[in-house]
C-alpha cells in the first residue's frame, strides 16, 4: 500500500516517485495499491495504465483517522508493507502504523520528523545527512543518497546511453513540475522570446494538474517562437534525449535529467527544492538561478543563451550528471524491502 497525495498545490512529485518504486515492486511480483486524498483524471489514468489500484482517503491527511483508515485498508488487502510519502505525515503517524504490525517505508527529504520508527527511511537526495535521523529506532534502516534515486520504468532501458553534445545547441525542453501553481512556465516562455535566435526549437511540457494550461495555450499562439506545448506526457526519456538543454524546476525531475545527461538551468519553485538545486549547482551538474520570485525573465534568457553557445560547459555538465545517477536506485530499494520481507 502506498499512501501519497497529489494536487495543484503540492504538485505530483510525491506520487510520481512512489510510482517509480511501485513499478520496481511490480517487477519483483508485488501487487501495489495507492491510497490518495484524490487524483486528477490524467494521474488516475497513469496509475491504471500501470495496473495499480487506487483507493481514496477520507480523513485529514496525516491525522489519526487517516492512519486508522490506512491500516484498515492495508490489512483488508493483506498487504505487508505501507509506503508513506508526504510532509503531512509525522512521527505519530509512523508509530500508529508500526503498532498495527505493518512494515513501513517512509520517504523523507530533509529530516522533517522528530522521531523515526519506520523500518526503512528513504532519502534519495544528494547530501542526505545521517545526523537528521539520530532520533530513530534501533531497527530503522537508512537508505540515503543518490544511489537510491528512483526512476520510473520508462527510463530503465536508457541505462548506458551516452548523450552527443552538438557544436550548436538549439533544442530546449521546458518542464517546470506537474502543477506549477505560480505559472513559472509562462515566465520561461517569455524569457525564451528575448533570445535572438530564430533556429530555436522549444518543447514545453506541463503536467496533468497544471491549472494554467489554457492561459499557456493562448500565450503560445501570440508568440513568434518555434514552440510546441504538450500536456501530461508519458515519454519523458525520449523528450530529454531529443533536447540539447532544459529549463526545469528543482524537484525530482532533476534526477531524471541528470540520468539522461541533459544540461539544465534550474529554477526553484518550492522550499524543499532549494538545497538540492544549490548542491547540484556546486557540483557543476546544473545552473541554479534560485527562487522563482527572484528570477527575472532577463536572467533566464541570459543563462540559456550563454549555455546554448558553450558546448564545453554542456559536455562537462552532462558527464558530471550521468556519473551521479546510475538508474538502479529503485531496484536497490526493493532489495532492501525484500530482505525484511523474507529474512
Amino acid at each position: 500500500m502506498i499512501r501519497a497525495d497529489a494536487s495543484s498545490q503540492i504538485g505530483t512529485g510525491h506520487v510520481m516517485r512512489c510510482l517509480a518504486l511501485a513499478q520496481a515492486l511490480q517487477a519483483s511480483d508485488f501487487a501495489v495499491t495507492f491510497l490518495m486524498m484524490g487524483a486528477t483524471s490524467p494521474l488516475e489514468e497513469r496509475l491504471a495504465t500501470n495496473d495499480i489500484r487506487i483507493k481514496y482517503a477520507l480523513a485529514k491527511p496525516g491525522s489519526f483517522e487517516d492512519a486508522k483508515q490506512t491500516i484498515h485498508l492495508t490489512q483488508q488487502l493483506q498487504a505487508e508493507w505501507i509506503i508513506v510519502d508526504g510532509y503531512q505525515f509525522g512521527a505519530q503517524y509512523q508509530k500508529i502504523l508500526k503498532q498495527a504490525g505493518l512494515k513501513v517505508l517512509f520517504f523523507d527529504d530533509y529530516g522533517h520528523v522528530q522521531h523515526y520508527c519506520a523500518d526503512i527511511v528513504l532519502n534519495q537526495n544528494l547530501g542526505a545527512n545521517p545526523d537528521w535521523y539520530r532520533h530513530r529506532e534501533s531497527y530503522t534502516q537508512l537508505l540515503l543518497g543518490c544511489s537510491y534515486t528512483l526512476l520510473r520504468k520508462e527510463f530503465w532501458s536508457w541505462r548506458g546511453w551516452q548523450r552527443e553534445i552538438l557544436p550548436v545547441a538549439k533544442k530546449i525542453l521546458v518542464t517546470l513540475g506537474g502543477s506549477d501553481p505560480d505559472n513559472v512556465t509562462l515566465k520561461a516562455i517569455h524569457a525564451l522570446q528575448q533570445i535572438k535566435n530564430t533556429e530555436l526549437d522549444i518543447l514545453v511540457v506541463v503536467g496533468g494538474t497544471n491549472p494554467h494550461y489554457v492561459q499557456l495555450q493562448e500565450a503560445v499562439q501570440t508568440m513568434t517562437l518555434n514552440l510546441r506545448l504538450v500536456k501530461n506526457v508519458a515519454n519523458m526519456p525520449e523528450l530529454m534525449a531529443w533536447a540539447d538543454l532544459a529549463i526545469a524546476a528543482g524537484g525530482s525531475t532533476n534526477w531524471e535529467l541528470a540520468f539522461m545527461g541533459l544540461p539544465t538551468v534550474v529554477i526553484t519553485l518550492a522550499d524543499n527544492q532549494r538545497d538540492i538545486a544549490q548542491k547540484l549547482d556546486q557540483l557543476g551538474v546544473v545552473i541554479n538561478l534560485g527562487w522563482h520570485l527572484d528570477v527575472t525573465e532577463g536572467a533566464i534568457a541570459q543563462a540559456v543563451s550563454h549555455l546554448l553557445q558553450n558546448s564545453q560547459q554542456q559536455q562537462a555538465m552532462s558527464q558530471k550528471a550521468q556519473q551521479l545517477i546510475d538508474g538502479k536506485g529503485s531496484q536497490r530499494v526493493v532489495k532492501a524491502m525484500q530482505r525484511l520481507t523474507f529474512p
Side-chain angles (χ1 to χ4, degrees), residues 219-237:
V220 166
Q221 291 170 2
T222 66
M223 293 179 180
T224 56
L225 290 169
N226 179 21
L227 187 151
R228 290 167 290 151
L229 177 67
V230 294
K231 184 179 183 182
N232 200 42
V233 301
N235 63 330
M236 281 303 288

Side-chain angles (χ1 to χ4, degrees), residues 156-233:
W156 298 351
S157 62
W158 291 83
R159 291 178 189 140
W161 178 76
Q162 293 298 312
R163 174 173 297 280
E164 180 184 1
I165 302 296
L166 302 177
V168 179
K170 60 183 180 181
K171 293 179 287 189
I172 301 174
L173 175 67
V174 179
T175 172
L176 287 154
S179 58
D180 186 18
D182 296 307
N183 204 7
V184 183
T185 300
L186 185 60
K187 181 189 281 191
I189 291 172
H190 285 153
L192 291 173
Q193 199 166 29
Q194 295 181 19
I195 300 175
K196 305 303 179 186
N197 184 340
T198 56
E199 294 188 349
L200 290 183
D201 188 1
I202 302 163
L203 180 64
V204 178
V205 176
V206 299
T209 60
N210 190 304
H212 308 290
Y213 184 63
V214 174
Q215 183 185 359
L216 289 169
Q217 282 182 310
E218 293 170 351
V220 166
Q221 291 170 2
T222 66
M223 293 179 180
T224 56
L225 290 169
N226 179 21
L227 187 151
R228 290 167 290 151
L229 177 67
V230 294
K231 184 179 183 182
N232 200 42
V233 301

Side-chain angles (χ1 to χ4, degrees), residues 165-170 172 191-192 194-197 200 244-247 263-265 281 286-289 297-317:
I165 302 296
L166 302 177
V168 179
K170 60 183 180 181
I172 301 174
L192 291 173
Q194 295 181 19
I195 300 175
K196 305 303 179 186
N197 184 340
L200 290 183
D244 297 322
L245 62 89
I247 301 173
T264 301
V265 174
D281 183 281
V286 306
I287 296 170
N288 175 30
L289 296 184
E297 293 173 8
I300 299 171
Q302 184 178 12
V304 171
S305 182
H306 175 77
L307 190 55
L308 283 168
Q309 300 169 44
N310 194 331
S311 60
Q312 284 187 323
Q313 185 178 7
Q314 292 174 43
Q315 185 71 55
M317 292 172 71

